[in-house]
Amino acid sequence: MRSNLRRHASGSKTQQLRGSAENGGDGLVDSLHHHVDEHTVLLHRAFQNSDGEPFYKDERLWVRWPSSFGYVTWQTLKSNPVNVLLLFVPLGIVFGAIGFKPTVVFILNFLAIIPLASLLSFATEELSAKLGQTLGGLLNATFGNAVELIISVVALKNGEIRIVQASMLGSVLSNILLVLGCCFLAGGLKHTEQSFNSTVASTMSSLMAVSTASLIIPATLYAAMGSSNSKGTKDDNILVLSHGTAIILLILYGLYLFFQLKSHAHLFDEESGNDNSEGEQQDGQVLSPWAAGVALVIITVMVAVCAEFLVDSIDSIVESAHISRTFIGLILLPIVGNAAEHVTAVVVATKDKMDLAIGVAVGSSMQIALLVTPFLVILGWIINQPMTLHFEIFETVVFFLAVLVTNYLISDGKSNYLEGAMLIGMYIIIGLVAIPSIIAQTERFYDLSGSLTYISCTAFSLYLPTIRARAAAAVAGTAKPAWPSILGALSGNGGFNWRQVVLSAAVCTWATRLGTYLFSRITSDNGTDSRFDNIRTSPPKFLGAFFAQATWVSLCLMPVIALNSLPISLFSSLPAAIGLTDLLGLALYIGGLSFEVTADRQKDKWVQEKKSKKHNEEFLTRGLWSKSRHPNYFGEVTLWTGIATLAGGVLMSNAGQVGMGLAASGFLGKAAALGMAGVSPAFVSLLLFKVSGIPLSEGKYDKKYGGRKDYQEWKKNTPVFFPKF
């Protein structure tokens, strides 16, 4: 089932390429095809021996083995776009091993497990394709939810029963409400009505109803025993009931596998009947059985390591960020193991392959309810952890309602966008109930939301050339270009342009670093920020602060947005070598970022030493803080000046002027480009000098230490902004 998903995802790209070739005809398209073909030939020659054979098929072992390893590794890594997040795997492990801040460790390992889940699914599909239908189906069932299982096993070992229960429930809810809802909605917007195999869907939904009963009965029994029994007695009775129920559920799941793969396999044939009719790539063509087996072992170990650090940081996250364990398990952890699979399911639904989408959404939920959850109950029995099927009343009711609504919607074998909206709406309602602790202290996430806004705006700006092209096609009445992936938007057909990549990465790096740093700092200060002292009790002012945040993000990103809006084809006319503005911009950015990071670390170290009573200083006058009263702000302005310099060089070039439609404006066009680039450092300086930066800091310190001679002496001898060297 998941194998079919990946085949459809890869096959769609082939069809898009074929369609674009058939619809071409004008000179631009023909030249592009010639350009791509030329580069394809050159690339093939670069990786072929003198006989025209690829190096990974060379007869010489010393050539074939390393080439084969490199080829297989590359094919595996490009199997899913989320594999770009593999960069976070070593970071998460290293930061966890050295005992870094729990918030950072949690975020890094959270991001690291997402691509590992994708690779685990890929290796499972490759191995199952070689084992035949029965063994392959069993392998997919075993490893289908391996990431959720590994995280839950680690949490269960640590006694985090609430995390395990909420994670299981969250996985089910995210699949049957969010994912299935997105599939119905996305498919319904493209197709008036879609159909799927109602027999298979009803079989799955019936089993989900049975699993619902397995949660309702323990909760009902616990309530029925009342106060006449001691808590210990009730817990013991629930534990015995849970152990027996878990065994029955595992037997039922085993019978379902036999039903699906053997006795009634013909019912599931429709689900994959014509999957191979389009000449799409078959599973099992990349990894050999041995390679897939080794990959499974390695990836599973990596997931286990990252899961260990992730779970170990949960306690600190709960205490410092005041996020409930229920929210972490119900909302956050299910995202980790299912992100890549969810995206693919929605893409398949838009292609009217609803049987595959239903199979992933409802089938994965059924695996969690009938296989993973009872397995964890039995494992808890073995390792002496009181894991039961007695969930909280709220969770049990939510589970029942979710399954009830889903069963109603899939019973007729048809779907539309309204049904998808219903499922998504129900998931949002549950999410709103699960996050009251976040809503109650919103300022805690103010700076973190700003960082996410920077990253989101940067990613969105990469689609501006496509938006421009689609608008032009609509006016001309021609076919609109397809929406590319995020990597496709960054590269186009002509390869990556290093300036665009560097600028986008520079913004995301700075935003991630500053956002996590400020979030860690505010959580250590009981979740309060002095900037909100006068507006904390006023919802309109609070809302205004978030609108102001969105405004200054847009102004700060002006040069990056302008550069990313240029058509990709124009970047090929820019010189590949580093120019003067490139060199100056990179130097300013690296220097400014280093200055800001160093200043923040020096302040953190000073605060920690003060808390441990290694000194009794009231304000910081060491290191960079002896050179400037606000060295962190100096670094921030400097790095944005670097970004503006690099972007300005591109915008003022002939290619940039053509892309912005200013080529005929001469000097005024270049002045407009310069002004557009200069908006960023100018606005950052205005913000820090006149609005929220220096005025707030100076006012706070003047109020505390204004009457002290040493403070006045420090202010007199230390520049406000530009450091003295």
Side-chain angles (χ1 to χ4, degrees):
M1 186 177 298
R2 300 181 184 199
S3 310
N4 295 336
L5 277 175
R6 191 163 59 80
R7 286 201 296 270
H8 276 283
S10 61
S12 64
K13 295 179 182 177
T14 305
Q15 294 300 318
Q16 288 174 8
L17 288 174
R18 289 174 183 167
S20 62
E22 292 169 359
N23 296 329
D26 53 61
L28 176 60
V29 174
D30 289 340
S31 63
L32 278 174
H33 288 173
H34 177 71
H35 180 72
V36 172
D37 291 341
E38 222 173 46
H39 277 273
T40 303
V41 171
L42 289 175
L43 285 172
H44 282 185
R45 288 176 182 171
F47 295 101
Q48 291 177 349
N49 58 21
S50 57
D51 297 329
E53 288 287 329
F55 283 136
Y56 60 85
K57 294 183 180 180
D58 197 285
E59 294 181 357
R60 296 165 294 180
L61 292 179
W62 60 273
V63 174
R64 184 172 74 247
W65 284 1
S67 300
S68 179
F69 177 79
Y71 173 78
V72 169
T73 301
W74 171 246
Q75 293 295 320
T76 302
L77 291 178
K78 75 173 188 177
S79 63
N80 199 304
V82 301
N83 291 339
V84 71
L85 296 177
L86 285 170
L87 293 172
F88 291 101
V89 174
L91 292 176
I93 294 175
V94 170
F95 278 62
I98 65 177
F100 205 70
K101 296 179 180 179
T103 303
V104 177
V105 173
F106 182 89
I107 293 174
L108 290 176
N109 283 284
F110 180 88
L111 295 173
I113 293 177
I114 292 176
L116 290 175
S118 171
L119 290 178
L120 191 65
S121 176
F122 177 82
T124 302
E125 293 160 3
E126 291 289 307
L127 184 57
S128 63
K130 303 287 178 61
L131 298 179
Q133 182 183 11
T134 303
L135 289 178
L138 182 61
L139 188 69
N140 266 316
T142 304
F143 283 93
N145 291 288
V147 173
E148 294 95 323
L149 181 60
I150 292 171
I151 294 176
S152 298
V153 167
V154 173
L156 184 62
K157 177 178 68 70
N158 293 350
E160 298 280 5
I161 306 297
R162 290 296 305 125
I163 293 291
V164 176
Q165 290 181 325
S167 176
M168 293 298 98
L169 180 64
S171 294
V172 173
L173 294 179
S174 67
N175 275 294
I176 63 175
L177 294 181
L178 181 61
V179 179
L180 190 59
C182 289
C183 290
F184 283 1
L185 181 62
L189 291 175
K190 192 171 183 179
H191 309 276
T192 304
E193 189 174 70
Q194 295 176 288
S195 301
F196 48 87
N197 190 329
S198 58
T199 303
V200 174
S202 62
T203 302
M204 292 181 178
S205 60
S206 298
L207 286 169
M208 287 298 298
V210 173
S211 67
T212 304
S214 70
L215 299 189
I216 294 177
I217 292 173
T220 306
L221 176 63
Y222 191 87
M225 285 189 288
S227 58
S228 58
N229 296 287
S230 65
K231 188 178 186 303
T233 302
K234 291 195 291 184
D235 290 343
D236 290 341
N237 291 334
I238 294 297
L239 201 57
V240 172
L241 174 63
S242 298
H243 292 161
T245 304
I247 294 173
I248 294 172
L249 291 177
L250 288 174
I251 293 173
L252 285 176
Y253 188 75
L255 289 175
Y256 169 73
L257 287 181
F258 183 79
F259 180 87
Q260 178 190 17
L261 302 174
K262 195 72 175 175
S263 66
H264 289 69
H266 63 279
L267 295 176
F268 297 83
D269 288 344
E270 183 181 335
E271 190 178 325
S272 57
N274 298 318
D275 288 342
N276 302 326
S277 61
E278 299 174 359
E280 298 165 357
Q281 178 184 349
Q282 299 295 310
D283 291 314
Q285 291 184 347
V286 176
L287 299 178
S288 66
W290 279 105
V294 171
L296 274 178
V297 173
I298 295 175
I299 296 167
T300 302
V301 171
M302 300 299 289
V303 171
V305 173
C306 292
E308 183 78 36
F309 291 128
L310 182 78
V311 173
D312 287 345
S313 62
I314 286 178
D315 284 338
S316 298
I317 290 288
V318 170
E319 293 175 5
S320 61
H322 298 283
I323 301 176
S324 67
R325 281 178 167 80
T326 301
F327 174 73
I328 292 176
L330 196 65
I331 305 296
L332 295 183
L333 293 186
I335 296 174
V336 172
N338 298 318
E341 178 185 299
H342 290 178
V343 172
T344 310
V346 174
V347 171
V348 168
T350 61
K351 304 181 190 307
D352 204 19
K353 303 292 183 180
M354 288 305 297
D355 284 312
L356 297 174
I358 292 287
V360 168
V362 182
S364 183
S365 297
M366 192 180 60
Q367 286 182 355
I368 293 291
L370 295 181
L371 175 64
V372 179
T373 303
F375 171 78
L376 291 170
V377 172
I378 300 300
L379 180 63
W381 189 7
I382 295 172
I383 65 176
N384 200 28
Q385 288 287 355
M387 173 68 185
T388 70
L389 293 174
H390 175 221
F391 285 53
E392 298 290 340
I393 293 295
F394 164 74
E395 296 170 346
T396 305
V397 172
V398 162
F399 187 33
F400 170 74
L401 292 176
V403 173
L404 181 66
V405 171
T406 303
N407 286 357
Y408 272 129
L409 295 181
I410 67 177
S411 60
D412 61 350
K414 298 178 181 179
S415 66
N416 53 60
Y417 72 88
L418 180 59
E419 293 180 348
M422 293 178 192
L423 293 173
I424 295 173
M426 186 170 181
Y427 186 78
I428 293 174
I429 292 172
I430 295 171
L432 291 177
V433 175
I435 57 175
S437 59
I438 294 179
I439 297 175
Q441 298 189 36
T442 316
E443 70 186 273
R444 181 187 305 275
F445 299 91
Y446 183 74
D447 291 305
L448 192 60
S449 72
S451 297
L452 294 176
T453 306
Y454 273 106
I455 296 172
S456 302
C457 287
T458 302
F460 173 76
S461 68
L462 295 173
Y463 285 90
L464 290 176
T466 304
I467 294 174
R468 293 175 63 180
R470 288 175 67 88
V475 173
T478 57
K480 296 179 181 179
W483 292 103
S485 65
I486 188 68
L487 291 178
L490 194 60
S491 63
N493 291 324
F496 293 98
N497 179 267
W498 72 265
R499 293 176 178 85
Q500 192 178 28
V501 173
V502 166
L503 278 175
S504 300
V507 172
C508 294
T509 300
W510 172 80
T512 303
R513 203 287 308 180
L514 187 62
T516 53
Y517 167 75
L518 293 176
F519 179 70
S520 300
R521 192 177 71 178
I522 194 173
T523 51
S524 65
D525 292 338
N526 299 320
T528 59
D529 189 332
S530 59
R531 295 175 297 175
F532 290 82
D533 288 344
N534 297 325
I535 65 174
R536 189 175 292 113
T537 57
S538 173
K541 291 181 179 179
F542 224 130
L543 184 62
F546 277 89
F547 275 110
Q549 182 187 78
T551 302
W552 78 58
V553 167
S554 302
L555 291 172
C556 289
L557 284 176
M558 184 70 74
V560 179
I561 293 174
L563 184 140
N564 285 343
S565 69
L566 300 177
I568 295 293
S569 58
L570 292 176
F571 286 110
S572 60
S573 62
L574 293 172
I578 296 180
L580 179 60
T581 55
D582 301 327
L583 187 62
L584 180 59
L586 289 172
L588 288 172
Y589 174 81
I590 294 173
L593 182 63
S594 302
F595 213 84
E596 183 185 45
V597 171
T598 303
D600 286 339
R601 286 184 175 177
Q602 288 178 351
K603 188 168 187 177
D604 268 351
K605 181 180 179 182
W606 179 85
V607 170
Q608 293 301 322
E609 289 177 350
K610 184 177 181 180
K611 287 182 179 179
S612 58
K613 298 183 179 180
K614 292 183 179 180
H615 66 77
N616 57 359
E617 300 170 8
E618 295 293 338
F619 48 91
L620 177 59
T621 58
R622 310 178 193 167
L624 294 179
W625 299 84
S626 66
K627 309 297 182 182
S628 168
R629 301 212 294 269
H630 304 280
N632 51 341
Y633 296 152
F634 172 78
E636 186 171 343
V637 172
T638 303
L639 69 88
W640 279 108
T641 303
I643 290 174
T645 303
L646 203 160
V650 176
L651 297 177
M652 293 176 66
S653 67
N654 292 333
Q657 294 288 288
V658 170
M660 292 189 295
L662 300 174
S665 301
F667 173 77
L668 291 178
K670 294 187 181 296
L674 182 62
M676 196 175 296
V679 165
S680 177
F683 184 76
V684 171
S685 300
L686 175 66
L687 191 68
L688 295 178
F689 272 91
K690 298 295 183 181
V691 183
S692 65
I694 294 175
L696 286 179
S697 298
E698 294 278 334
K700 182 174 68 174
Y701 278 91
D702 286 346
K703 185 177 180 180
K704 282 185 177 181
Y705 314 116
R708 293 178 47 161
K709 291 184 178 179
D710 54 349
Y711 175 73
Q712 294 296 338
E713 189 70 21
W714 174 68
K715 283 190 66 174
K716 180 180 179 181
N717 297 327
T718 309
V720 176
F721 186 73
F722 290 101
K724 60 178 182 180
F725 292 107

